[in-house]
Amino acid sequence: MNAFFNVLRKSLPFLAFLIVLPLFIGRESYALHILIMAFIFSVFAASWDLLGGYMGLMDFGHAGFFGIGAYTSALASLHLGVSPYVSFILAGASSMLFGLLVGVLSLRFASRVYFSICTLSFAETVRIVCRNWVDLTRGVLGLWGYPTFPGFSSRMSYYYFALFFMILSISVLYFLVEHTHVGLVFRAIKDSEVVAEHRGINVTIYKILCAIISAFFAGLAGSVYAHHILVLIPDDVLSAAVTSLAIGMVVIGGRGTIIGSIIGAFLVVTTSELLRAYAEVIYNLIIFGLLMTIFAIYAPGGVMGLVKRGQKQISGIIRFSQK
């Protein structure tokens, strides 16, 4: 617990900077939109990291849970007339149920390949359904006309809402995986399922639990995204490119760290926006792919790995100089 609060205390300068930043860049600045997207994708990437970084399960269809959360929240607000705060909870619950379904169907097998294939097929199925169920989702024309969160209609106010959402979600996930028994079990299963089973751990149950929690936070991120963008197009929220973004953010920030997801999200979102002004989309994607490849080969630990390596080297130099 003390270690958890130490991390929070070290993060205070960064959080204080984010809190006062809108006062200097303007209440309706486009830069706030970029930061809001970074906050949302930080949670989305962290939810993928729970599976890919801590459990070692490669989810190639994580956009499916993100998209289900987005569409559930938007449709509930539009057709049922419920408050976006209620639809926000419904978004997490619906994604969690699909996470349970996918987990039960694919994680009963010893091979992790089944899970990867099942998640990929799941996301593509959801995308095709949303494209073709025009009466409900309006297909490729886009779903619009639903409200944003009451009290957060301006860009600056939504910025603080998204910031609070990121802080709360990342804190919960970090505490879960770093300071609870569940997190220890996740890492033990990643290291060796056989050894974990011999120690009396029900591997299947914990893998399904991990899938449920991951899907829940992905669904919440999808809801916050939907009520910020205010228009949903299947290919924008359910495509393989969205999952690739989450994977890239985790690879660049550092797998199995949660905090690295924030770093990766900020780097990828801001870099993409900067490149969009100077290069076509295809070149943007090529540069993103090259960046992922470079980190995967030369810095597999991501930015967090480089930071830890630098800290060890500095500590070694200090100890050597004191001798």
Side-chain angles (χ1 to χ4, degrees):
M1 183 66 73
N2 290 333
F4 174 72
F5 285 110
N6 285 335
V7 173
L8 286 180
R9 188 163 54 250
K10 292 178 181 179
S11 303
L12 286 179
F14 175 65
L15 296 178
F17 170 75
L18 291 177
I19 290 173
V20 301
L21 185 59
L23 302 177
F24 298 96
I25 62 177
R27 298 176 61 88
E28 297 296 328
S29 170
Y30 184 71
L32 290 183
H33 164 72
I34 297 174
L35 291 171
I36 290 170
M37 296 297 288
F39 297 154
I40 295 170
F41 276 95
S42 293
V43 178
F44 180 51
S47 68
W48 187 92
D49 193 30
L50 191 65
L51 282 168
Y54 285 88
M55 185 62 81
L57 295 170
M58 296 304 296
D59 180 355
F60 292 134
H62 207 53
F65 305 116
F66 181 81
I68 283 177
Y71 271 98
T72 297
S73 191
L75 289 170
S77 297
L78 182 62
H79 295 301
L80 300 181
V82 301
S83 167
Y85 295 110
V86 176
S87 65
F88 172 75
I89 302 301
L90 293 176
S94 61
S95 295
M96 185 171 63
L97 288 175
F98 278 98
L100 172 63
L101 176 64
V102 172
V104 169
L105 292 176
S106 61
L107 293 175
R108 296 178 293 110
F109 305 99
S111 175
R112 301 187 179 193
V113 175
Y114 290 105
F115 179 75
S116 299
I117 296 174
C118 191
T119 52
L120 181 62
S121 303
F122 161 72
E124 186 63 14
T125 300
V126 175
R127 186 183 71 85
I128 293 172
V129 169
C130 288
R131 279 177 60 95
N132 291 280
W133 198 349
V134 179
D135 292 338
L136 181 67
T137 66
R138 297 176 187 156
V140 296
L141 296 177
L143 181 66
W144 54 274
Y146 55 90
T148 187
F149 289 94
F152 298 97
S153 56
S154 70
R155 185 169 286 175
M156 184 175 181
S157 62
Y158 205 92
Y159 169 90
Y160 286 114
F161 174 79
L163 174 61
F164 175 75
F165 167 68
M166 182 194 73
I167 294 172
L168 182 61
S169 299
I170 294 296
S171 298
V172 171
L173 286 171
Y174 184 81
F175 180 79
L176 174 70
V177 297
E178 296 291 345
H179 302 286
T180 68
H181 172 72
V182 173
L184 290 175
V185 173
F186 286 172
R187 290 193 291 272
I189 293 174
K190 176 186 176 183
D191 292 338
S192 175
E193 290 189 22
V194 175
V195 173
E197 287 178 345
H198 286 170
R199 292 181 178 178
I201 297 173
N202 191 323
V203 173
T204 301
I205 293 297
Y206 275 97
K207 287 196 293 187
I208 293 174
L209 175 63
C210 186
I212 291 172
I213 298 172
S214 175
F216 175 74
F217 280 96
L220 294 183
S223 173
V224 177
Y225 172 89
H227 291 284
H228 170 59
I229 298 298
L230 295 179
V231 60
L232 292 177
I233 299 173
D235 292 344
D236 288 347
V237 294
L238 288 162
S239 67
V242 178
T243 300
S244 299
L245 271 180
I247 297 174
M249 291 169 183
V250 173
V251 169
I252 292 171
R255 285 181 63 182
T257 62
I258 295 295
I259 302 299
S261 301
I262 302 177
I263 299 173
F266 272 78
L267 288 176
V268 170
V269 171
T270 55
T271 302
S272 297
E273 288 296 330
L274 290 173
L275 290 174
R276 185 179 298 177
Y278 300 100
E280 296 181 10
V281 175
I282 184 63
Y283 297 116
N284 196 333
L285 294 174
I286 291 173
I287 293 172
F288 175 64
L290 288 174
L291 190 61
M292 280 185 59
T293 303
I294 290 171
F295 269 93
I297 296 175
Y298 298 104
V303 174
M304 290 295 290
L306 294 175
V307 171
K308 291 178 181 179
R309 189 187 309 172
Q311 289 176 339
K312 288 181 180 180
Q313 291 177 349
I314 293 173
S315 299
I317 293 172
I318 293 175
R319 286 196 300 269
F320 179 78
S321 62
Q322 291 175 345
K323 291 182 180 179

